[in-house]
Amino acid sequence: MSASRYIPLQASSSTLSPTRFTFALPRWVPSLFPHRIRRKLKSRIRSRRSPASSLASLETSFNPTNTLRALRGHPWSFYDAQYLLLLALGAFALCIIESYGPLFKTAFVTSIVTILAIPTTRQFFLPFMPIATWLVFFYSCRFIPNDWRPPIWVRVLPALENIFYGANLSNILSSHKATALDILAWLPYGIIHFGAPVVCSIFMFIFGPPGTVPVFARSFGYMNLVGVAIQLSFPCSPPWYENMYGLAPANYSIAGSPAGLARLDALFGLNLYTSTFTASPMVFGAFPSLHAGSATIEALFMSHVFPQFQPLFIVYTLWLWWATMYLSHHYAVDLVGGSLLAAVIFYIAKSNFLPQRQADKLLRWDYDYVERGEQDPELAPLEDLNCQAINEMSDWAAGSSSSRSSGTVSPVDDSQSLWEGETLASNSETEIDAAAYRFKGHSPKQSID
C-alpha cells in the first residue's frame, strides 16, 4: 500500500502563467440569488481561500501546443496503461457498431482527439474518459454476434438465491404490488439513479478536497466497465425472465422487458421504459447489478466527503436495493455482487489516489495541500512539520527558474506541464513526490513505499 503523498503549495507570483483563473460563479447564477446573498457567498469563499492555494484554479488555455509540451514532459508510468485499455475497448466498440457509418465514426474520433488536445477541455474530459468508454462499450454490446457470446445461465442466480437466503427475495418483494410502492421504487431506480452521479460530483467538487471528483469519475467509469465485462462473460437471466418463461433455456433473440417499470409507463401514459428496456443492449446482464454498484460507490465517496451523513447514504443504497427487487430487475445476489465490486474499486482508489479529507476544512478553497492515499503511520501529517522549513522550501522554489507556473513547490522543468493531474489544474505525480521527498530530506529517486 503506497504512502500518502503531500502537495504543499506556495503563493502565486507575477510570473505565473496567465492561462489560469480562480473559480467564479456562472453568469446565470446572479439571477437566481438576491444581491445580498451573492455578496455574502463571494465574501465567504474569498475569505476562506488561502493566498497560497492554487488548487482551485482552472486551465483556460486553448493552445494545443501546451498539450504537446505536456505530453513530451509527462513522466510515463504503469498507470498510463489504462489509456491503452480504453483505446482498445473504444476501437472495438466503434468497429462493431453498425448503426453509424464511417463518416460519423471518423467525426466522433476527431472530436475526442480535439477535446483532449485543448487544455481547457482536457482537464474535464480526461477523468471522464472511463465513463465515456463504458457508455460506448455498453451501447456496442447489442452488435456483438451471438456466436461470440457464451451460453446464458438461467438457473444459477435463482439457485444461489435459495442457497444464501432460503427463498427468492425478489419474488417475495414483488408479490405485493401497489401504486404507491410503484412510485416509491421508481424514484431511485428510474430517476435518481441517472442524476445522482452529477449531483454527487457537484457536491464533492465544492465541499470535498481538490482532486476528489476526478478520482470519483475514474472509479465510477472503471466499475461500470468491469461490470459490463462480467455481464458479457457470465450472462444471467433476471427475475422478470423467470416470471415470464420459468427456468426454460434462454437465447439472445429474446427481447428485454421493463418488468415492474411497465406499470409506471401505464400510470403516466408513456412508453419510455418499455421501449428502452425492450431494446436494451444487455438483456441478460443481471449479475452484477450496476444499479446497486452505482449507488454503493456514490454512497462510499459521499461518506468520505460527508461522514456525518453516512446513515443517509446507507438508507439510499438500501432503498435502491429494495426497488430493484420489487421491480423484478435483479436478484438479491446481483445486488451483493454489484456492491462488492463498487467497494473493491472504492478502496483501491482510497488507498492510492483519493485525497484525504481534513476535518477543519469546509470548502475546496480552504485546502492549502492535499494528502493522497492512506496515511502512513511513519510519516507525520504535514501540519505537524516545521513551518519554517516549509517557508524556506517555498522561498527556494519561488526563486528557482525551474519552479512550475502552477505554484507547486517542486524543482521540475517547465516543460513538464500538466497532462494528467489528479485534480482540475493540479499537480503531476512527479511534482508531488519530488516535493514530498525533498521536504523529508530524501532524494527524488528514493521510494517511500
Side-chain angles (χ1 to χ4, degrees), residues 66 69-74 404 412-418:
N66 294 341
R69 183 158 50 91
L71 276 174
R72 286 197 300 267
H74 177 69
R404 277 178 51 89
V412 295
D413 191 84
D414 261 341
S415 63
Q416 295 184 1
S417 56
L418 177 66

Side-chain angles (χ1 to χ4, degrees), residues 163-185:
I163 292 173
F164 291 148
Y165 312 113
N168 189 320
L169 298 183
S170 177
N171 287 343
I172 294 175
L173 292 176
S174 61
S175 60
H176 305 284
K177 300 178 179 65
T179 302
L181 293 178
D182 291 342
I183 295 176
L184 191 62

Side-chain angles (χ1 to χ4, degrees), residues 18 44 66 102 113 133 244 255 270 275 315 346 369 389 418 420:
R44 187 172 184 180
N66 294 341
V113 173
T133 305
M244 295 175 63
L270 302 173
S275 59
V315 168
F346 170 76
Y369 68 92
L418 177 66
E420 188 205 353

Side-chain angles (χ1 to χ4, degrees), residues 152-162 168 171 236-251 254 284 331:
I152 301 167
W153 298 87
V154 174
R155 300 175 181 269
V156 171
L157 296 183
L160 291 176
E161 191 90 348
N162 284 279
N168 189 320
N171 287 343
C236 296
S237 60
W240 60 258
Y241 179 88
E242 183 181 0
N243 296 337
M244 295 175 63
Y245 305 102
L247 298 178
N251 60 77
I254 298 176
F284 298 100
Y331 294 100

Side-chain angles (χ1 to χ4, degrees), residues 139-386:
Y139 174 77
S140 70
C141 289
R142 71 177 64 197
F143 301 102
I144 298 178
N146 292 342
D147 54 355
W148 292 9
R149 299 170 179 260
I152 301 167
W153 298 87
V154 174
R155 300 175 181 269
V156 171
L157 296 183
L160 291 176
E161 191 90 348
N162 284 279
I163 292 173
F164 291 148
Y165 312 113
N168 189 320
L169 298 183
S170 177
N171 287 343
I172 294 175
L173 292 176
S174 61
S175 60
H176 305 284
K177 300 178 179 65
T179 302
L181 293 178
D182 291 342
I183 295 176
L184 191 62
W186 164 67
L187 288 174
Y189 193 86
I191 297 295
I192 300 177
H193 167 74
F194 298 100
V198 177
V199 174
C200 291
S201 296
I202 292 173
F203 275 91
M204 285 188 283
F205 178 82
I206 297 175
F207 298 101
T212 302
V213 174
V215 177
F216 169 70
R218 288 189 172 94
S219 302
F220 187 86
Y222 284 119
M223 180 206 69
N224 282 282
L225 278 173
V226 173
V228 171
I230 295 174
Q231 291 171 351
L232 278 175
S233 57
F234 183 57
C236 296
S237 60
W240 60 258
Y241 179 88
E242 183 181 0
N243 296 337
M244 295 175 63
Y245 305 102
L247 298 178
N251 60 77
Y252 291 104
S253 65
I254 298 176
S257 170
L261 289 174
R263 298 193 295 272
L264 276 304
D265 276 351
L267 178 65
F268 297 119
L270 302 173
N271 192 36
L272 175 63
Y273 296 106
T274 300
S275 59
T276 301
F277 281 89
T278 301
S280 173
M282 189 72 68
V283 175
F284 298 100
F287 182 88
S289 168
L290 294 181
H291 272 75
S294 298
T296 301
I297 203 167
E298 290 157 6
L300 290 172
F301 271 92
M302 292 292 282
S303 296
H304 174 77
V305 178
F306 306 101
Q308 66 273 27
F309 297 120
Q310 187 179 45
L312 178 64
F313 305 136
I314 294 175
V315 168
Y316 165 69
T317 303
L318 295 178
W319 182 20
L320 188 135
W321 273 37
W322 166 80
T324 58
M325 291 187 287
Y326 173 79
L327 296 172
S328 298
H329 278 263
H330 287 285
Y331 294 100
V333 68
D334 306 334
L335 308 177
V336 174
S339 293
L340 286 177
L341 173 61
V344 169
I345 297 293
F346 170 76
Y347 285 109
I348 290 175
K350 182 181 179 182
S351 301
N352 297 277
F353 311 108
L354 187 61
Q356 296 179 17
R357 176 180 176 271
Q358 299 172 20
D360 59 332
K361 304 295 191 295
L362 176 61
L363 304 174
R364 67 180 281 112
W365 299 277
D366 294 342
Y367 286 79
D368 296 319
Y369 68 92
V370 294
E371 303 171 62
R372 297 184 183 278
E374 295 288 354
Q375 176 71 47
D376 190 330
E378 297 182 359
L379 298 178
L382 186 62
E383 61 264 33
D384 295 339
L385 300 177
N386 192 306

Side-chain angles (χ1 to χ4, degrees), residues 17 36 43 66 87 141 206 283 408 438 444:
S17 170
R36 182 176 298 178
S43 174
N66 294 341
L87 178 62
C141 289
I206 297 175
V283 175
T408 305
R438 282 182 166 81

